[in-house]
Amino acid sequence: MSLLPGLTDSNQATDLFVDANEVHKLVLKEETEWKVEIPSSSKLTITIRSGIAEIFGTELANDVEYTFSNWKISLSAVENVILEWKCPDIPNKDLMIEPNTTSKYVYNLHFGLEKMRNSSFNGPRILVVGNANSGKTTLCRTLCSYAIKFKSYQPLFINLNPHEGIFSPPGCLTATPISDILDVQSQTWGQSMTSGATELHSKQPIVKNFGLENISENRSLYWDNMNQLSNAVNERLQNDVIVQRSGCILNTPSLSDLDEEFNELVTIIDRFKVNIVVVLAEQDEFTLFEKVKETLRPYIGDFLIRLPKLSGRFEADDAYKRSLQRTAIKEYFYGTPKTILSPYASGADFEEITVWKPINMVEAQGTTSTSNPLQLLPVTVDASTLQHALVAISYADRKSSSSEVQKASILGFGLITEVNEKKRKIRILLPVPGRLPNKAMILTSYRYLE
Amino acid sequence: MDKETEIIVKDFTSVLDELTFNSRPIITTLTKIAEENISCAQYFVDALESRIEKCMPSQKLYAFYALDSICKNAGSPYTIYFSRNLFSLYRKTYLLVDNVTRTKLINMFKTWMTPNETTGGSLPLFERGALERIEQFLIKASALHQKNFQSMLPTPTVPLLLREIDKLAGLTNERLRDQPNDQKLQTKLMVLSQLKQELQRGKLSLDALKQVQLQLTEVFAQDQQVLQERVRYQQFQQEQQLKQRERSTTTSSLEPTETPMPLGTNNSPSPLFNGSVSSLFGNVSRIVTPEDFAEMEKASKLTSIQTLFHSLNGAGLIFTPPKESIVTLFDKIDSTNKLNSKKAKNNNLPSISFLQDVVSNCKAYFATANVNILNTPTLQLSQQNIVNDNPVVTKSLIHLLYRNKPNKCSTCGKRFGNSIEERKLQTAHLDWHFRINKRIKGSSTTNAQTNAMTSQKNIQSRNWYLHDSQWVKFNDDEIVSTQNTFNENPKQTIADVDQQKYASGSNGSSTATNIQMSNFEDMLSLNKNDANNSTSETADLSKKYVIVPESTEDMTFQCPVCKDSVTSVYDEELGEWIWKNTVIINGKKFHSTCYYETIKNNSSL
Ligand SMILES: [Zn+2]
Ligand SMILES: [Zn+2]
């Protein structure tokens, strides 16, 4: 007794029963949204008990426990919602619950697009542009989710922003038909195809590897990737009636990453036959909007719409973006808690691998004669360059030339976990079991330390 | 602190900061640094203590693990330094973390109490005083927990207890009906009736009543468990029957007598489990509900019933019999009957949220009945139309995304409409979920004789992306078709890595792709022969080993698939040198997991 004087006093006693696993009940009014930033390495579980709630356009099932981690989400109440949530690291006070001020615009936009899908075999192709943190990805995700809800459309989502890994690791340009419901718990929107059973239907993306972090590091390479992607997309659309009718939804890099004249936007519009542009910009960014409008008017006429930045968006700092990128890499190899994947650690001798890398124009400034910016440079295999590196594995044979490799399709990604210079061996994590394919690899700027 | 120490301590803290998850490598690194730099011990201790104090509750356990590892490996002086604040750190942490972590903390504490090698094998890890205080604290904490639980039970009164005894007797009788020969149950019934008599005499003190109450709670919990197990078993039986029936419909020519009959009289779940449990003996959360809270809930339910009634009425969905109708007359005449029937009706009323759903679905149906997207000019895309409020969208079209399809999948939230076609889609969708879930959980088959379960887990990996030329021809219907699941359909498009010859660098060290299916079957039969407790396929694979032949000179070999070298280890139990996770196929040694994966992969290509 005497050892524990503090224990019997009432404050202490109640402390004991502040249960970290406590389930909190929350009522959200219609047209409000709950914005949650889940602390890193914590997890939030949400169960909708009644009403209709959605996250970035994807409706949650009722009485099903959803788990979220390493993410910032906006849970939007379409009707009055009663839910239960649990997260030991989020205090149950001052929750960020705000009116959803922009959902009405998104609905208007969606039904406008729906009308176009109803009236033509050639669906709308909509380009979403805006500055960083304006809610571009959120808008794209919501439009994709809505598009598949009433009829079984399969809109093609095209991600031209290499900072974000959607159905792929970061550093890629991708196109993915959204043929079924997205995984509401996943930052990467869901799984690309796996070899086994997944809770939801997986998606089949086409992936172009840009591999550098910023477009400015090699603009020519970025635009070449985009060209390759648009060729494949246009051919797919010709072959695939449903996707063609459903149309395309394109996500773009932040406007600040593009050229100041917006000529690059014109190129995208041209390559992907875009017919609607949505600019996410506030009233005070009016000059920006006007400038975009003037530049694009000759190409798309009046189909240029300005929406305010979405209320469900988050300010994403660099650290947060990096953590999303890490998650995307991790999920590519290991899946999610609900879809656990078994990647495969394989070994290879130095002599058995060929690694290329793109020219980084920013680093190379003045040092190399940059005659052909698309040219790939051979990489000497050593620990300092390859340890923990994410490498793209191309379809091109190992002995192929630089330009063949640069044009080749992408088979997937590997993660070099160990470079043993003494034994002249590497260990590489592969998504698919088996030996390292005898293919040329391309070094990316992304590193991942398990 | 001199320069060198400063660097080492900085190093230590920066590694420590990485300890945001349970990472063995990080903890090992920390332990190593601590072992190698005993001179900095005090600084390390300070750093670790402040980490435990300041980091997020969810991460405190890992810091404790680091402390534990350092003390167990490096021993003194760490054990001495940490003993000083150990109790207060431990106590603070314990109070802040969730129950799962508390259990882990307690388990860790238990290991401290056993004599430890670093302390010479005769003393506990830390100073006795510190450990004793923690022990006292833990005893109190759990006692307090117990007390808290007791205080949440309602004050026992004789009538309350009598009622609960009746319920318990009812339960026991029910079990007795199934197992009429069970002596224990009969004894229990007797004890219960004696207890009842004792209570009715009314001579028991409040304390004694409390004792009775606690005991009853315990007995009830046990009974509940037994019954739950039985229900689970019945469900399992029913599932099996269902499966058999499925099979019998496909094979069609089964005699009707072979169709298994439902088990026993207790086919429908006992009333105990449909939620209307007694106030005292329900699950714990029911017990703790304070009465005023129950009142509040009742009140809020009442208001929502009222609003619900009004909206139902407003939607013209409620039939009110006119004054002169037979219904009203009958009700007036037979007032007692009315009372009873009202009660019965109340019991069968569906939940409020269900009824609310019905109302909203009806509204959505009417709201979208007459809209036509094509004939709505305000949907024409333009700046004006998008930013202006559009009542057609907010009042009616919006329902097309939600309640116009009123049937929401309870697994994924996908919506389905009421048309025959939509109903068919929904059935196919639900079947698909069912099949997928079965595969995710691992197909389990039951051997009737041994009742042993064998299961195969859903082990999977990411696919390669398709080649551009494959992707442009791909059609997603192949994925979203609910007719088949992946792997059930052999025609599934997967990456054609065609030129993938696995050309091995040199002199045929790789035979991986030459291995034929027949070998695979060989291996599986081998697997059956030597593994007598086959539970999981892959677990078995990695458990396979090969005893190093005495004639072998080289104790290591290179796995032809992953190129790893495999070194033999001495197995104490066997008394032999073995290669773990190894199989010999056609005289060649492989990692058995590598071999299996390659085979599986090749056969699916
Ligand atoms: Zn579903
Ligand atoms: Zn191997």
Side-chain angles (χ1 to χ4, degrees):
Chain A
M1 267 287 185
S2 54
L3 279 172
L4 291 166
L7 196 63
T8 43
D9 91 40
S10 59
N11 276 337
Q12 288 277 340
T14 50
D15 259 11
L16 250 183
F17 299 101
V18 173
D19 190 350
N21 288 326
E22 194 187 339
V23 176
H24 308 284
K25 206 167 184 178
L26 180 64
V27 177
L28 293 179
K29 275 244 160 264
E30 189 176 337
E31 285 170 40
T32 61
E33 56 192 337
W34 178 29
K35 298 175 76 172
V36 215
E37 305 191 10
I38 302 147
S40 56
S41 80
S42 183
K43 67 175 191 192
L44 166 72
T45 61
I46 296 177
T47 309
I48 306 296
R49 288 304 177 195
S50 77
I52 296 178
E54 61 183 27
I55 295 174
F56 308 137
T58 304
E59 189 174 342
L60 280 75
N62 290 24
D63 301 314
V64 169
E65 188 177 89
Y66 289 92
T67 307
F68 304 88
S69 56
N70 286 316
W71 202 15
K72 303 178 179 183
I73 52 167
S74 303
L75 184 114
S76 182
V78 180
E79 289 177 353
N80 291 346
V81 164
I82 300 174
L83 62 87
E84 287 166 8
W85 65 274
K86 193 172 85 180
C87 177
D89 301 310
I90 298 177
N92 183 23
K93 56 176 185 223
D94 309 325
L95 296 177
M96 224 199 303
I97 295 167
E98 296 169 354
N100 190 334
T101 52
T102 47
S103 64
K104 55 184 177 199
Y105 308 131
V106 180
Y107 285 124
N108 286 347
L109 183 57
H110 163 70
F111 285 105
L113 299 174
E114 198 76 356
K115 180 172 178 170
M116 293 173 81
R117 292 186 185 109
N118 270 344
S119 50
S120 161
F121 291 109
N122 216 339
R125 301 190 185 184
I126 170 172
L127 184 74
V128 177
V129 301
N131 275 324
N133 303 328
S134 53
K136 293 186 295 295
T137 313
T138 299
L139 179 62
C140 289
R141 189 168 177 160
T142 309
L143 289 176
C144 285
S145 295
Y146 287 171
I148 61 175
K149 280 194 92 171
F150 185 57
K151 289 191 179 165
S152 14
Y153 286 123
Q154 298 181 1
L156 188 66
F157 172 66
I158 299 168
N159 181 29
L160 301 178
N161 183 0
H163 285 152
E164 292 191 49
I166 296 167
F167 298 113
S168 77
C172 301
L173 278 65
T174 60
T176 317
I178 306 302
S179 45
D180 200 21
I181 190 169
L182 299 175
D183 182 353
V184 76
Q185 296 161 112
S186 170
Q187 300 94 310
T188 60
W189 297 26
Q191 300 290 322
S192 71
M193 299 302 290
T194 72
S195 63
T198 49
E199 272 205 329
L200 303 170
H201 291 295
S202 302
K203 311 292 183 287
Q204 185 79 273
I206 184 172
V207 173
K208 294 290 161 191
N209 168 55
F210 174 57
L212 296 165
E213 281 195 57
N214 296 305
I215 297 171
S216 57
E217 287 168 334
N218 192 334
R219 297 198 101 80
S220 311
L221 180 65
Y222 176 80
W223 293 106
D224 184 74
N225 273 310
M226 200 217 47
N227 252 325
Q228 288 185 25
L229 185 70
S230 68
N231 288 338
V233 162
N234 289 327
E235 200 177 335
R236 170 75 181 252
L237 288 168
Q238 273 172 14
N239 293 335
D240 196 325
V241 190
I242 306 178
V243 175
Q244 191 181 20
R245 181 162 198 158
S246 310
C248 304
I249 295 165
L250 290 93
N251 197 14
T252 55
S254 159
L255 276 177
S256 57
D257 288 347
L258 300 174
D259 67 321
E260 284 176 18
E261 303 305 315
F262 302 125
N263 288 324
E264 291 172 338
L265 281 182
V266 175
T267 313
I268 296 175
I269 290 170
D270 175 51
R271 294 299 311 170
F272 290 96
K273 304 189 177 74
V274 167
N275 48 19
I276 300 154
V277 175
V278 173
V279 185
L280 292 165
E282 293 299 327
Q283 286 287 349
D284 56 11
E285 293 168 297
F286 200 68
T287 46
L288 173 87
F289 173 66
E290 283 300 310
K291 197 174 160 194
V292 174
K293 197 169 159 182
E294 283 319 305
T295 317
L296 302 188
R297 190 192 290 280
Y299 306 94
I300 55 156
D302 285 332
F303 287 108
L304 186 105
I305 291 148
R306 186 190 69 84
L307 292 187
K309 292 178 177 179
L310 297 195
S311 60
R313 77 190 197 283
F314 282 92
E315 294 299 321
D317 56 12
D318 255 15
Y320 179 59
K321 278 184 189 158
R322 294 209 177 274
S323 102
L324 288 185
Q325 291 172 347
R326 277 184 58 81
T327 310
I329 296 173
K330 187 174 155 210
E331 281 188 6
Y332 174 76
F333 291 102
Y334 294 100
T336 61
K338 284 208 174 151
T339 304
I340 296 166
L341 302 181
S342 313
Y344 187 81
S346 194
D349 296 337
F350 278 15
E351 288 68 33
E352 287 176 309
I353 59 171
T354 308
V355 187
W356 299 90
K357 72 168 186 194
I359 300 173
N360 185 328
M361 301 301 233
V362 178
E363 282 174 11
Q365 229 153 32
T367 56
T368 33
S369 56
T370 48
S371 53
N372 176 10
L374 296 183
Q375 193 191 347
L376 296 171
L377 306 175
V379 174
T380 350
V381 178
D382 62 38
S384 61
T385 34
L386 291 182
Q387 185 96 36
H388 308 310
L390 183 74
V391 288
I393 305 169
S394 78
Y395 267 86
D397 230 63
R398 195 160 71 81
K399 302 267 159 56
S400 309
S401 69
S402 155
S403 69
E404 280 170 325
V405 176
Q406 202 269 321
K407 289 192 190 85
S409 303
I410 295 297
L411 189 58
F413 292 85
L415 185 68
I416 297 179
T417 51
E418 199 186 317
V419 180
N420 190 326
E421 289 177 351
K422 268 193 209 135
K423 291 188 184 161
R424 301 186 57 76
K425 272 177 189 303
I426 62 155
R427 289 193 69 74
I428 181 166
L429 195 69
L430 298 174
V432 177
R435 280 207 58 192
L436 176 63
N438 195 32
K439 304 288 185 188
M441 299 190 278
I442 305 159
L443 178 63
T444 74
S445 298
Y446 293 90
R447 300 287 178 276
Y448 181 84
L449 181 56
E450 287 179 70
Chain B
M1 215 190 305
D2 59 88
K3 232 336 150 334
E4 203 183 330
T5 313
E6 201 175 335
I7 292 166
I8 296 168
V9 173
K10 226 180 204 166
D11 198 26
F12 182 87
T13 28
S14 70
V15 179
L16 188 58
D17 285 340
E18 303 278 299
L19 196 56
T20 55
F21 59 107
N22 194 5
S23 160
R24 181 181 276 277
I26 295 177
I27 291 174
T28 313
T29 311
L30 288 169
T31 310
K32 239 191 208 150
I33 300 175
E35 269 178 316
E36 284 162 7
N37 304 286
I38 300 281
S39 61
C40 309
Q42 186 60 62
Y43 298 112
F44 295 157
V45 171
D46 291 346
L48 201 44
E49 285 183 345
S50 101
R51 168 89 192 160
I52 293 175
E53 284 252 308
K54 286 172 191 154
C55 71
M56 229 187 274
S58 60
Q59 298 172 4
K60 288 186 194 293
L61 179 69
Y62 318 134
F64 255 111
Y65 282 161
L67 179 157
D68 178 79
S69 167
I70 289 171
C71 289
K72 280 177 183 160
N73 291 291
S76 158
Y78 292 100
T79 47
I80 300 166
Y81 289 159
F82 275 121
S83 293
R84 282 182 227 148
N85 296 321
L86 192 64
F87 164 67
S88 94
L89 269 185
Y90 188 93
R91 181 175 142 277
K92 269 188 210 157
T93 305
Y94 184 91
L95 293 174
L96 280 173
V97 297
D98 59 57
N99 281 334
V100 179
T101 314
R102 281 178 186 169
T103 314
K104 287 181 181 152
L105 279 172
I106 292 173
N107 286 337
M108 179 176 65
F109 171 74
K110 281 183 190 158
T111 69
W112 295 345
M113 295 295 274
T114 50
N116 193 278
E117 269 176 46
T118 54
T119 54
S122 59
L123 291 168
L125 191 59
F126 296 100
E127 280 168 17
R128 206 172 275 281
L131 292 176
E132 272 169 8
R133 291 181 72 190
I134 294 175
E135 192 179 22
Q136 286 299 320
F137 164 74
L138 288 174
I139 292 168
K140 289 270 163 141
S142 56
L144 203 61
H145 185 82
Q146 187 75 33
K147 212 169 111 194
N148 209 54
F149 172 72
Q150 283 176 30
S151 71
M152 284 168 183
L153 292 173
T155 318
T157 60
V158 172
L160 181 76
L161 289 179
L162 285 177
R163 229 180 304 142
E164 303 305 347
I165 287 173
D166 282 341
K167 270 172 200 153
L168 200 46
L171 259 182
T172 317
N173 267 321
E174 204 181 304
R175 281 178 60 192
L176 206 55
R177 227 181 301 139
D178 274 19
Q179 303 144 269
N181 298 323
D182 195 331
Q183 283 292 325
K184 272 190 205 150
L185 289 179
Q186 280 164 359
T187 320
K188 196 161 160 189
L189 272 183
M190 235 162 61
V191 173
L192 284 176
S193 88
Q194 278 169 4
L195 187 61
K196 204 170 157 182
Q197 281 169 18
E198 202 61 40
L199 283 169
Q200 276 162 338
R201 262 179 236 138
K203 299 253 168 72
L204 290 173
S205 67
L206 188 66
D207 259 334
L209 287 180
K210 270 199 171 145
Q211 286 298 321
V212 172
Q213 186 185 30
L214 273 176
Q215 223 170 336
L216 283 176
T217 319
E218 226 165 81
V219 175
F220 189 84
Q222 283 167 5
D223 270 26
Q224 218 172 18
Q225 217 175 351
V226 171
L227 278 164
Q228 251 158 6
E229 233 131 71
R230 213 178 58 191
V231 168
R232 228 174 284 141
Y233 178 72
Q234 278 172 0
Q235 276 169 354
F236 176 72
Q237 291 272 337
Q238 279 164 6
E239 262 171 43
Q240 292 304 98
Q241 286 167 14
L242 218 69
K243 274 186 211 153
Q244 286 198 21
R245 243 176 262 156
E246 273 169 22
R247 254 176 261 142
S248 70
T249 46
T250 47
T251 50
S252 80
S253 62
L254 267 181
E255 281 174 43
T257 44
E258 276 186 66
T259 323
M261 296 299 286
L263 260 192
T265 49
N266 225 328
N267 200 26
S268 57
S270 90
L272 185 76
F273 298 102
N274 58 11
S276 54
V277 200
S278 78
S279 61
L280 173 56
F281 295 135
N283 53 38
V284 178
S285 70
R286 267 171 212 276
I287 296 174
V288 300
T289 310
E291 258 157 48
D292 50 340
F293 187 72
E295 282 300 317
M296 271 165 52
E297 278 223 315
K298 220 194 238 165
S300 83
K301 248 185 198 164
L302 215 66
T303 48
S304 34
I305 288 178
Q306 270 160 359
T307 36
L308 181 69
F309 178 82
H310 289 308
S311 46
L312 276 168
N313 210 9
L317 287 170
I318 286 182
F319 171 71
T320 333
K323 262 186 187 156
E324 306 290 283
S325 81
I326 297 226
V327 183
T328 22
L329 265 176
F330 181 83
D331 279 355
K332 271 179 196 158
I333 293 162
D334 198 347
S335 57
T336 46
N337 192 18
K338 183 183 159 194
L339 241 153
N340 288 340
S341 68
K342 211 176 190 178
K343 255 187 193 164
K345 264 183 209 153
N346 263 340
N347 286 341
N348 295 326
L349 213 63
S351 75
I352 292 175
S353 64
F354 175 81
L355 290 170
Q356 264 162 351
D357 265 354
V358 173
V359 176
S360 309
N361 288 342
C362 284
K363 281 186 188 160
Y365 174 78
F366 290 120
T368 50
N370 289 316
V371 291
N372 183 337
I373 290 185
L374 281 178
N375 294 339
T376 311
T378 49
L379 292 180
Q380 193 66 34
L381 279 183
S382 73
Q383 183 70 32
Q384 285 311 312
N385 281 343
I386 297 293
V387 296
N388 286 351
D389 285 340
N390 187 346
V392 182
V393 170
T394 48
K395 292 270 175 330
S396 64
L397 285 176
I398 186 171
H399 295 295
L400 295 180
L401 293 174
Y402 309 101
R403 292 194 181 273
N404 179 267
K405 290 182 165 188
N407 312 308
K408 182 164 163 177
C409 171
S410 61
T411 307
C412 71
K414 215 176 150 167
R415 287 181 172 275
F416 295 90
N418 273 330
S419 66
I420 295 171
E421 204 172 307
E422 285 277 320
R423 291 270 184 192
K424 269 188 196 157
L425 282 177
Q426 189 184 11
T427 314
H429 177 82
L430 294 181
D431 282 353
W432 173 80
H433 270 309
F434 180 75
R435 292 200 307 274
I436 285 289
N437 274 335
K438 237 166 72 179
R439 286 201 41 211
I440 289 175
K441 281 182 192 138
S443 54
S444 19
T445 45
T446 313
N447 184 326
Q449 275 155 355
T450 58
N451 217 26
M453 301 268 285
T454 50
S455 67
Q456 191 180 355
K457 277 224 161 163
N458 176 35
I459 292 168
Q460 58 177 320
S461 56
R462 180 82 57 212
N463 285 359
W464 293 125
Y465 297 127
L466 297 183
H467 191 275
D468 289 14
S469 61
Q470 283 181 298
W471 186 83
V472 297
K473 293 198 192 82
F474 187 79
N475 189 310
D476 272 52
D477 288 344
E478 199 178 293
I479 311 172
V480 295
S481 158
T482 45
Q483 298 311 306
N484 48 55
T485 53
F486 193 87
N487 280 5
E488 284 172 15
N489 175 10
K491 279 182 292 183
Q492 186 85 34
T493 305
I494 56 170
D496 176 18
V497 198
D498 53 352
Q499 313 94 317
Q500 184 188 26
K501 293 183 200 98
Y502 283 120
S504 60
S506 54
N507 47 46
S509 71
S510 158
T511 50
T513 43
N514 301 331
I515 297 157
Q516 298 301 311
M517 275 307 282
S518 59
N519 284 336
F520 178 45
E521 276 150 19
D522 280 356
M523 194 183 79
L524 283 185
S525 59
L526 251 166
N527 201 13
K528 271 177 206 149
N529 289 339
D530 63 0
N532 42 14
N533 54 342
S534 123
T535 44
S536 157
E537 209 176 353
T538 39
D540 268 6
L541 281 167
S542 59
K543 268 190 217 139
K544 291 178 81 69
Y545 61 86
V546 166
I547 295 176
V548 181
E550 278 174 30
S551 57
T552 311
E553 282 172 21
D554 197 351
M555 298 291 268
T556 62
F557 71 90
Q558 194 185 42
C559 167
V561 181
C562 71
K563 300 270 170 158
D564 238 11
S565 57
V566 182
T567 313
S568 59
V569 291
Y570 187 74
D571 187 287
E572 300 264 358
E573 267 175 47
L574 290 168
E576 296 270 13
W577 286 88
I578 59 164
W579 285 300
K580 284 186 167 175
N581 181 20
T582 300
V583 286
I584 299 183
I585 306 293
N586 295 343
K588 273 217 168 320
K589 295 184 277 288
F590 294 85
H591 271 137
S592 84
T593 40
C594 288
Y595 180 81
Y596 170 74
E597 287 291 357
T598 313
I599 287 290
K600 202 172 79 176
N601 227 31
N602 281 2
S603 59
S604 69
L605 269 174

